[in-house]
Amino acid sequence: MATCLLAIETSCDDTSAAILCNGKVLSNVVASQLEHDSWGGVVPELAARAHLANIEVVVREALKKADISLPELSAIAYTRGPGLLGSLLIGSSFAKSMALGLGVPLIAINHMEAHILAHFIDEPRPDFPFLCLTVSGGHTQLVVVNNYNNMEVIGETLDDAVGEAFDKIGKMMGLGFPAGYKIDKLAQQGNPLAFAFPIYEVGDLNFSFSGIKTAFLYFIREKSPVWIETNLADVCASIQHTLVSLLMKKVLKAMDKTGLKQLALAGGVSANLGLRKRLEEEAQKRNWTLFVPDFQYCTDNAGMVAMAGWFKFQNKEFAGLETAPNARLKIGE
């Protein structure tokens, strides 16, 4: 008899549900929220309301696509944190209600650990230990992954995440929200060395993106709308080159410091073509093995939560109904 898990992800503005049976993801359904575009960023209250409207729909769709019925479920996994508290509350409350009603165990998942464990959904899979660069709208971290349940953060951003920097810089250029993928697309047509922006050092393996963002603000506010439109591709290519260069500088340092030869990329910004290209070039030059999940498992999704839940299920690491969402949950907690 198959062991099947339902996973629920509601950490930010994507409502997602997935079904995993015997370690294989059978369905991964995501409902993205468009309510935030006109506000220039995710509005927590609107996000929570949208999750409330979407969560039953995505769960039903995930069950249907996997051809699994509720009585066949062996456990419910959900994102405990980090994320927006209101959004996390919707997912955790729904998961707890289902687990209680079905009489199955509950599994609380760390969102950032799930991003890393997305590398074990499909082949090829990394061997332990490996270094993972997690890059998203909320986090930028360097993590040494020793095992499924043993991860050590050796570097992280001290201010903005790189995804947040992309979005804020895009907003300054009038590209709307979210802007990261728009900058990446325009950057493919521009000269990455057209304009120079400073990279600020904060020591060791940590990151800082606020200084780049401020430097860009001073640069762009002196330009006319016509100039920006005329030079948009070169500006996007140059600022993306700067952000990616900072990431690469720390990755190189971390790989040298740890002596590891396997590098994994995780999080929404892992879809960035400029970053992927630079990592692929360095991997080839330095004889690293690079791992990047399928695109559907890079952005926020329940498939990665299901995979993380599967490993916890094997170890019988279950959560109680009293387990509270934690908006600032750290890796290892």
Side-chain angles (χ1 to χ4, degrees), residues 289-315:
T289 305
L290 179 64
F291 298 89
V292 184
D294 187 77
F295 179 75
Q296 67 170 313
Y297 302 124
C298 288
T299 55
D300 291 348
N301 69 94
M304 66 183 194
V305 176
M307 195 74 251
W310 175 250
F311 296 125
K312 283 184 176 289
F313 184 86
Q314 303 305 301
N315 292 330

Side-chain angles (χ1 to χ4, degrees), residues 9-18 28-36 46-47 50-59 61-62 65 296 299-302:
E9 155 64 20
T10 60
S11 64
C12 191
D13 62 333
D14 286 330
T15 314
S16 183
N28 185 38
V29 179
V30 181
S32 297
Q33 301 176 8
L34 304 177
E35 292 90 337
H36 312 282
L46 294 180
H51 285 308
L52 198 57
N54 294 336
I55 192 165
E56 184 179 353
V57 177
V58 297
V59 167
E61 184 65 17
K65 284 190 172 184
Q296 67 170 313
T299 55
D300 291 348
N301 69 94

Side-chain angles (χ1 to χ4, degrees), residues 256-275:
D256 287 342
K257 190 171 184 177
T258 60
L260 295 172
K261 292 297 182 181
Q262 294 182 105
L263 175 65
L265 182 63
V269 182
S270 61
N272 184 279
L273 295 177
L275 176 58

Side-chain angles (χ1 to χ4, degrees), residues 23-216:
K24 182 177 177 60
V25 176
L26 301 183
S27 65
N28 185 38
V29 179
V30 181
S32 297
Q33 301 176 8
L34 304 177
E35 292 90 337
H36 312 282
D37 294 6
S38 59
W39 297 96
V42 177
V43 181
E45 178 63 25
L46 294 180
R49 291 180 184 178
H51 285 308
L52 198 57
N54 294 336
I55 192 165
E56 184 179 353
V57 177
V58 297
V59 167
R60 288 184 183 277
E61 184 65 17
L63 288 164
K64 182 180 178 181
K65 284 190 172 184
D67 193 23
I68 295 295
S69 63
L70 288 175
E72 295 178 84
L73 295 176
S74 303
I76 312 291
Y78 73 97
T79 300
R80 183 189 174 203
L84 301 175
L85 185 56
S87 295
L88 293 169
L89 280 166
I90 299 299
S92 65
S93 298
F94 193 93
K96 289 176 182 179
S97 298
M98 285 199 72
L100 189 61
L102 295 172
V104 297
L106 191 67
I107 306 173
I109 299 299
N110 183 302
H111 178 79
M112 299 311 298
E113 292 177 7
H115 269 305
I116 294 169
L117 295 176
H119 290 90
F120 295 90
I121 296 176
D122 297 320
E123 295 283 358
R125 299 178 174 94
D127 296 319
F128 299 114
F130 63 92
L131 181 74
C132 188
L133 171 65
T134 57
V135 279
S136 67
H139 297 82
T140 302
Q141 296 178 325
L142 287 165
V143 184
V144 174
V145 185
N146 296 306
N147 210 320
Y148 303 113
N149 57 1
N150 183 348
M151 305 179 191
E152 178 189 1
V153 178
I154 60 172
E156 59 188 337
T157 183
L158 302 181
D159 40 58
D160 291 348
V162 65
E164 183 182 2
F166 269 115
D167 285 336
K168 287 181 176 178
I169 285 168
K171 188 176 180 181
M172 295 176 201
M173 292 186 285
L175 296 180
F177 174 85
Y181 74 95
K182 297 177 184 176
I183 292 176
D184 188 29
K185 185 176 180 179
L186 287 162
Q188 309 312 310
Q189 308 161 32
N191 176 10
L193 302 179
F195 307 102
F197 299 100
I199 291 178
Y200 296 91
E201 272 293 339
V202 291
D204 205 22
L205 299 176
N206 290 326
F207 304 86
S208 174
F209 296 98
S210 61
I212 298 174
K213 183 185 66 179
T214 301
F216 186 84

